[in-house]
Amino acid sequence: MTDGSRPLIGVSTYLEAGARWGVWELDAALLPAGYPRLVQRAGGLAAMLPPDAPEHAAATVARLDGLVIAGGPDVEPVRYGAEPDPRTGPPARERDAWELALIEAALAAEVPLLGICRGMQLLNVALGGTLTQHMDGHAEVVGVFGHHPVKPVPGTLYAEVVAEEASVPTYHHQAVDRLGAGLVPSAYAADGTVEAVELPSATGWVLGVQWHPEMGEDVRVMRALVDAAQSFSPSGV
């Protein structure tokens, strides 16, 4: 535990060229403010994790109590053995490599892990799963978050956190196709899209959600991660 009362939660970030603020236009490591605010509201300390060399992932994760892989661009299809669909966005190779290494390090060290949107998809890919590269109805207006209900699967970790069907903020055009090794679905949309996955065989706490809890008022998913991180001790004591 990095802090006696508030666990340290690392959140992966964007790396954007030519971001603008004030009089500046510079390359920037970016994270929508909803992520750190949600971590803070859930009782954690938020730390931004910009892309770095993958070989540094294990040392980075070793200093954390919990990890969030944030939303963002499409995962490059080569990562799951597919040709790119014309509607798949441009690759973010540096971020793919870094976040895959973070996920692998967190799983190996049993650090509590939450994947959000792209983060859930990347968790699936890290465990050998595949993605549907385009679907309609989950990002209806460009740049505007929508809402739709998701229904938990009884008996799952997610159902313990959110027992009822709930409306969630959503913005994605890709989704889980073939599940990665050990993953099970823990929530579905009305159209059958897998909206949450978890790894029940893991000793640590592992959950992915397809929606964006940082864009809503419900802190239960993030609070569950923070609670798991509060109990996590890298030293085993």
Side-chain angles (χ1 to χ4, degrees):
M1 183 67 61
T2 303
D3 179 288
S5 59
R6 300 175 69 197
L8 182 64
I9 309 298
V11 188
S12 64
T13 77
Y14 295 74
L15 192 61
E16 296 292 332
R20 298 183 65 181
W21 69 98
V23 299
W24 304 105
E25 182 171 348
L26 298 168
D27 293 355
L30 298 177
L31 184 65
Y35 288 99
R37 286 173 179 164
L38 185 61
V39 170
Q40 292 159 359
R41 286 166 56 209
L45 290 168
M48 291 175 63
L49 305 177
D52 199 345
E55 58 263 31
H56 298 317
T60 300
V61 167
R63 303 182 73 169
L64 302 174
D65 300 309
L67 173 65
V68 175
I69 303 297
D74 295 338
V75 180
E76 188 174 16
V78 70
R79 293 286 182 177
Y80 48 95
E83 293 293 324
D85 184 282
R87 295 163 293 189
T88 294
R93 295 188 177 108
E94 188 174 6
R95 186 170 174 191
D96 283 354
W98 172 237
E99 291 181 339
L100 283 167
L102 287 174
I103 289 169
E104 291 166 4
L107 293 176
E110 300 177 357
V111 173
L113 169 63
L114 173 63
I116 293 178
C117 197
R118 163 191 163 88
M120 168 176 144
Q121 296 168 5
L122 209 55
L123 171 63
N124 190 58
V125 170
L127 292 170
T130 62
L131 304 178
T132 297
Q133 292 192 49
H134 184 77
M135 57 184 297
D136 294 316
H138 290 251
E140 297 180 1
V141 180
V142 175
V144 178
F145 285 88
H147 284 79
H148 67 68
V150 298
K151 188 173 183 178
V153 175
T156 61
L157 170 65
Y158 174 68
E160 292 177 6
V161 175
V162 181
E164 78 282 3
E165 182 173 285
S167 181
V168 296
T170 184
Y171 189 85
H172 67 100
H173 80 115
Q174 299 196 334
V176 164
D177 183 14
R178 187 184 73 242
L179 284 167
L183 288 172
V184 299
S186 47
Y188 289 94
D191 63 3
T193 301
V194 175
E195 289 284 334
V197 296
E198 57 193 62
L199 194 61
S201 61
T203 304
W205 191 98
V206 181
L207 178 67
V209 298
Q210 184 57 72
W211 62 92
H212 285 267
E214 81 282 359
M215 295 304 299
E217 297 302 316
D218 192 336
V219 302
R220 285 178 291 178
V221 167
M222 187 63 75
R223 183 170 290 143
L225 172 73
V226 170
D227 288 347
Q230 189 85 47
S231 301
F232 175 72
S233 173
S235 64
V237 295

